[in-house]
Amino acid sequence: GDSVTQMEGPVTLSEEAFLTINCTYTATGYPSLFWYVQYPGEGLQLLLKATKADDKGSNKGFEATYRKETTSFHLEKGSVQVSDSAVYFCALIKKTNAGKSTFGDGTTLTVKP
Amino acid sequence: EAGVTQSPTHLIKTRGQQVTLRCSPISGHTSVYWYQQALGLGLQFLLWYDEGEERNRGNFPPRFSGRQFPNYSSELNVNALELEDSALYLCASSSGQGTNTGELFFGEGSRLTVL
């Protein structure tokens, strides 16, 4: 079945450091890929998405490129802020999979001033 | 525009009891999804409802059930609660399948503690 594997956390960075959170997937067909973020005490919210190979999703300084050849969708940000501290989830969905999104286990990011 | 709302936000139950969780989707959304987020684990897909019908179900026992009402709100019922049911239950909604881009809009969740 489909699966998403995320870089294990927790990740601790200093403010203004470069961030990479790795995400690889296994899926047949042509999934859409997503990054969601969960701030403390809140639900998940969409951070960015890409619907086909070579698409780049971007939002709030975060970027991720859909790489079909390496089945990856790594999340990057050039300069993190304390306010970026949260749990980040990589996810995929296929329209043929009857509404079921597959999520990674989440990566906890803590940014220290 | 109101987001996805869930109730209650927190609740404590004992083993063997039953619980009902409620979810109101974003106005205009016809699909509702339920996920379980247990401590230290990722999101596990529970149920998907669309247009009042159960469309898909995750690998959970039958004591997890639910329904979707004509106004597209939804309930999740869990019978015969077990300790391992303690988790954050997240509801999400999306637009209908014809226009669905795959994005899910989540509520803040209902945190269930089973003692």
Side-chain angles (χ1 to χ4, degrees), chain B residues 22-36:
Chain B
R22 296 176 176 83
C23 173
S24 292
I26 290 173
S27 177
H29 284 184
T30 60
S31 280
V32 170
Y33 310 78
W34 288 96
Y35 283 83
Q36 182 194 64

Side-chain angles (χ1 to χ4, degrees), chain A residues 32 34 36 38 41-46 49 51 87 89 93 95 97-106, chain B residues 33 35 37 40-45 48 55-56 88 90 97-98 100-109:
Chain A
S32 295
F34 301 82
Y36 284 87
Q38 185 178 32
E42 299 183 11
L44 279 72
Q45 53 186 275
L46 181 69
K49 67 181 181 184
T51 58
V87 182
F89 292 90
I93 186 168
K95 288 193 173 182
N97 207 15
K100 177 185 172 186
S101 293
T102 302
F103 286 82
D105 288 342
Chain B
Y33 310 78
Y35 283 83
Q37 186 180 21
L41 299 177
L43 276 72
Q44 304 298 317
F45 171 74
W48 171 39
R55 303 294 185 180
N56 198 5
L88 181 67
L90 291 167
Q97 290 302 288
N100 189 358
T101 61
E103 178 180 354
L104 301 179
F105 296 81
F106 283 85
E108 295 190 354

Side-chain angles (χ1 to χ4, degrees), chain A residues 46-102:
Chain A
L46 181 69
L47 180 59
L48 54 84
K49 67 181 181 184
T51 58
K52 61 183 187 297
D54 299 325
D55 269 3
K56 177 186 282 187
S58 62
N59 185 27
K60 299 181 181 179
F62 291 89
E63 292 183 340
T65 301
Y66 188 161
R67 303 282 189 202
K68 193 166 179 65
E69 65 275 14
T70 54
T71 62
S72 64
F73 193 55
H74 305 322
L75 182 68
E76 296 182 337
K77 186 175 185 182
S79 176
V80 294
Q81 306 299 312
V82 172
S83 57
D84 294 326
S85 298
V87 182
Y88 292 81
F89 292 90
C90 185
L92 71 82
I93 186 168
K94 298 186 301 189
K95 288 193 173 182
T96 56
N97 207 15
K100 177 185 172 186
S101 293
T102 302

